[in-house]
Amino acid sequence: MIQSGDTAFILVSAALVLLMTPALALFYAGMVRSKNVLGTIMQSIIMISLITLEWIYIGYSMSFGPDVAGIIGDLSFAALSGVGTAPSPDYATTVPHIVFMIYQCMFAVITPALITGAFAERVRFLPFCIFSVLWSVLVYNPVCHWIWGGGFLGAMGVLDFAGGLVVHLTCGVAALVACIMIGPRKGFGKRQFIPHNLPMTVIGTGLLWFGWFGFNGGSALAADEIAATAFVATHIAGMTGMLTWTLVEWYHIGKPTTLGACSGAIAGLATITPAAGFVGPNSAVCIGFLGGMICYLAVLAKNRFGYDDSLDVVGIHGVGGLIGTIALGFFASTAVNPGGADGLFFGNPGFLMTQLTGIAVVGGYTLVISWIILKGINAFTPLRMEENDEEIGMDTSEHSESAYQA
Amino acid sequence: MKKIEIITRSYKLEDVKESLTALGIKGMTVTEVKGFGRQGGHKEVYRGAEYQVDFVPKIKIEVVIDDEIVAEAVQAVSGAARTGQVGDGKIFISPIEDVVRIRTGESGSDAI
């Protein structure tokens, strides 16, 4: 039966999650050079349009349609057929089915946008759009089904409250594959890639944090005590991540930086995402701390390995999602959420193994399919910008406009 | 007539302007510039990656003045812009052949 409180909460949460995509655009755009600001923003915001269309015609049905062998949803809900104002019998049973659909749509939108940070400043717009749509169909939708839509990982007991696997690990793995295949920016290792406007990145961070309350809180799919738990855990992990990164950086580099504080907050928020509704506040502090610490080390490791993940999608989102999913195997407690599981610290080591299995399956699948999609597209049209266009910058060469007039 | 170009720290602009206007100098042109001298650049750190920034932001002030106040102006600017630290900047002095005020057609000292 429809509850007006739950419906209002999920509608507002959907709006909050939508806001995260333009927020991400600002977060990323501040970190690129001024000649690539609009190109970077465009790669995020166009997803709102492209992926929403993909979602309503095929994505929602693939993800949440009636299950086929635990692998994929059938196409009963294609073009939103049968997705109306009556509640779904399977998902979010106290809100109109169409509200659940649009809430999930916002997750599908932001996930491919997150990947763009890995190949920022060097990818052509058309093949990028083709990649994002194909990736959503072939990676996001199946993985979403496996975990949230009645597929085999969910049936095995893999837990992912708001997208540590479905969103952050998938985008992190795809980011790693993409930035290695596409290659580093011209002059990588020799030239300076200094962020052109960090205040823009700070605004993006604030709006992402704000939106994350809808991302994690709304994933309770009801305005209830689990939503409250997730909301609080989200804030706690974000602030712990910010403090941890700042302190570690202060100790390591000698000065605390604004970009470090923002990066730590996003790392903490990404890390708590799979665990938000399953852990208490003290566990959230531990998870935020792990996120801040390990993601900082992962970003440093990038410089050693020498791949050009321009804006650290692998180090922050990929590693954050990975750490959070593992941490859930330790910190989950049925005292917090009876619908969840007990982790290792609450006497159930088997659940940790389940989580690790989920990581191996999702990570392995994403790696292979992302590689195939990128190879396939590159065979038809080059992903990479021409050298001269890259020098001129995406704003002019890809979009014929510029962000700043002299 | 001489042109003096003063390249110095951005935050010294007001002090230098006041020192020159106190001498009766009525106009000047200011440009934001980047460059390096003995001061060299500085280090910036973004997510653990260190960058050496060679070009330091400075301001350039250009004034054209009569020959007889050049020494006084240079002394005033030196006093106003000096911190004693490396990076205080430089003053370049060069001859000017003529100046024309577009509105009236006046030239030479009358046009300054």
Side-chain angles (χ1 to χ4, degrees):
Chain A
M1 200 179 85
I2 289 173
Q3 302 284 341
S4 62
D6 290 350
T7 304
F9 177 57
I10 302 305
L11 280 170
V12 170
S13 292
L16 286 170
V17 182
L18 171 69
L19 181 66
M20 293 176 78
T21 296
L24 181 77
L26 292 180
F27 179 71
Y28 279 171
M31 286 189 272
V32 298
R33 291 165 293 172
S34 53
K35 61 186 178 182
N36 293 316
V37 182
L38 297 175
T40 303
I41 288 175
M42 187 64 165
Q43 287 182 347
S44 287
I45 60 166
I46 198 68
M47 291 296 104
I48 300 173
S49 167
L50 278 182
I51 304 302
T52 299
L53 276 169
E54 179 275 326
W55 187 250
I56 62 175
Y57 281 106
I58 180 171
Y60 180 67
S61 200
M62 286 179 72
S63 302
F64 293 100
D67 178 62
V68 179
I71 301 296
I72 199 73
D74 73 13
L75 293 182
S76 315
F77 297 155
L80 303 187
S81 166
V83 181
T85 50
S88 154
D90 303 312
Y91 313 109
T93 51
T94 58
V95 306
H97 194 175
I98 203 160
V99 171
F100 175 73
M101 181 285 298
I102 202 68
Y103 178 65
Q104 290 297 336
C105 174
M106 304 313 180
F107 285 69
V109 164
I110 195 171
T111 307
L114 284 166
I115 304 172
T116 63
F119 46 64
E121 304 194 292
R122 58 196 187 277
V123 163
R124 292 172 59 235
F125 188 66
L126 176 67
F128 153 74
C129 290
I130 298 170
F131 166 76
S132 298
V133 173
L134 284 178
W135 189 87
S136 295
V137 172
L138 298 175
V139 178
Y140 184 84
N141 297 342
V143 171
C144 181
H145 183 78
W146 297 346
I147 294 171
W148 292 336
F152 73 100
L153 289 179
M156 273 173 54
V158 173
L159 290 183
D160 181 2
F161 191 75
L165 288 167
V166 177
V167 175
H168 293 287
L169 187 70
T170 55
C171 84
V173 171
L176 182 63
V177 175
C179 71
I180 290 172
M181 281 184 66
I182 292 164
R185 285 167 289 184
K186 188 171 160 49
F188 180 68
K190 299 189 201 92
R191 278 202 216 153
Q192 317 255 29
F193 297 112
I194 296 178
H196 92 286
N197 188 343
L198 283 184
M200 189 184 270
T201 297
V202 176
I203 294 170
T205 304
L207 292 175
L208 278 168
W209 198 326
F210 180 65
W212 230 296
F213 291 123
F215 198 92
N216 288 1
S219 288
L221 298 172
D224 61 8
E225 61 273 41
I226 303 300
T229 301
F231 192 112
V232 171
T234 300
H235 185 64
I236 288 175
M239 70 90 194
T240 310
M242 177 186 270
L243 184 65
T244 305
W245 189 301
T246 304
L247 290 175
V248 172
E249 185 176 54
W250 202 339
Y251 172 77
H252 183 228
I253 304 290
K255 285 181 184 166
T257 69
T258 314
L259 181 58
C262 291
S263 307
I266 301 298
L269 291 162
T271 308
I272 196 65
T273 293
F278 299 121
V279 297
N282 292 317
S283 298
V285 169
C286 296
I287 291 171
F289 172 78
L290 290 171
M293 175 73 85
I294 298 174
C295 292
Y296 179 79
L297 296 173
V299 166
L300 291 192
K302 174 192 77 167
N303 298 328
R304 293 208 172 172
F305 289 121
Y307 60 86
D308 185 17
D309 174 7
S310 317
L311 311 180
D312 296 308
V313 187
V314 180
I316 293 180
H317 294 281
V319 172
L322 179 75
I323 300 301
T325 304
I326 297 170
L328 184 56
F330 287 93
F331 290 102
S333 166
T334 49
V336 175
N337 183 343
D342 280 321
L344 183 72
F345 293 154
F346 297 88
N348 179 17
F351 177 58
L352 178 60
M353 291 312 297
T354 307
Q355 290 299 91
L356 291 173
T357 309
I359 289 167
V361 171
V362 171
Y365 176 78
T366 306
L367 193 142
V368 172
I369 303 299
S370 302
W371 185 84
I372 292 171
I373 296 170
L374 288 164
K375 271 280 177 200
I377 293 171
N378 214 26
F380 289 101
T381 181
L383 283 151
R384 181 85 194 224
M385 292 165 70
E386 283 183 21
E387 207 168 285
N388 194 40
D389 288 344
E390 192 177 327
E391 292 281 18
I392 293 167
M394 297 155 75
D395 295 4
T396 309
S397 64
E398 289 290 310
H399 306 291
S400 287
E401 53 187 348
S402 57
Y404 308 105
Q405 304 297 329
Chain B
M1 290 176 295
K2 294 278 189 294
K3 178 165 83 166
I4 60 174
E5 288 172 83
I6 304 137
I7 296 177
T8 192
R9 301 178 197 277
S10 307
Y11 66 82
K12 284 291 187 183
L13 175 61
E14 282 300 311
D15 293 344
V16 172
K17 188 198 83 179
E18 279 170 25
S19 74
L20 290 171
T21 50
L23 294 176
I25 293 169
K26 292 192 171 61
M28 62 190 66
T29 305
V30 180
T31 321
E32 291 178 3
V33 293
K34 284 181 179 179
F36 62 89
R38 287 189 192 165
Q39 182 190 7
H42 63 273
K43 191 178 75 176
E44 294 182 7
V45 184
Y46 298 100
R47 283 183 178 160
E50 288 187 8
Y51 295 111
Q52 179 64 31
V53 179
D54 291 325
F55 295 104
V56 183
K58 298 278 177 185
I59 46 151
K60 182 168 78 172
I61 304 157
E62 293 170 90
V63 271
V64 174
I65 54 179
D66 282 324
D67 292 332
E68 53 266 31
I69 60 165
V70 168
E72 218 179 334
V74 168
Q75 197 181 10
V77 168
S78 299
R82 182 180 295 127
T83 68
Q85 304 294 313
V86 63
D88 276 350
K90 286 194 172 62
I91 302 170
F92 300 98
I93 303 156
S94 47
I96 292 290
E97 266 186 28
D98 204 357
V99 181
V100 177
R101 175 173 283 124
I102 295 171
R103 177 171 56 87
T104 60
E106 293 163 285
S107 64
S109 290
D110 293 340
I112 292 178

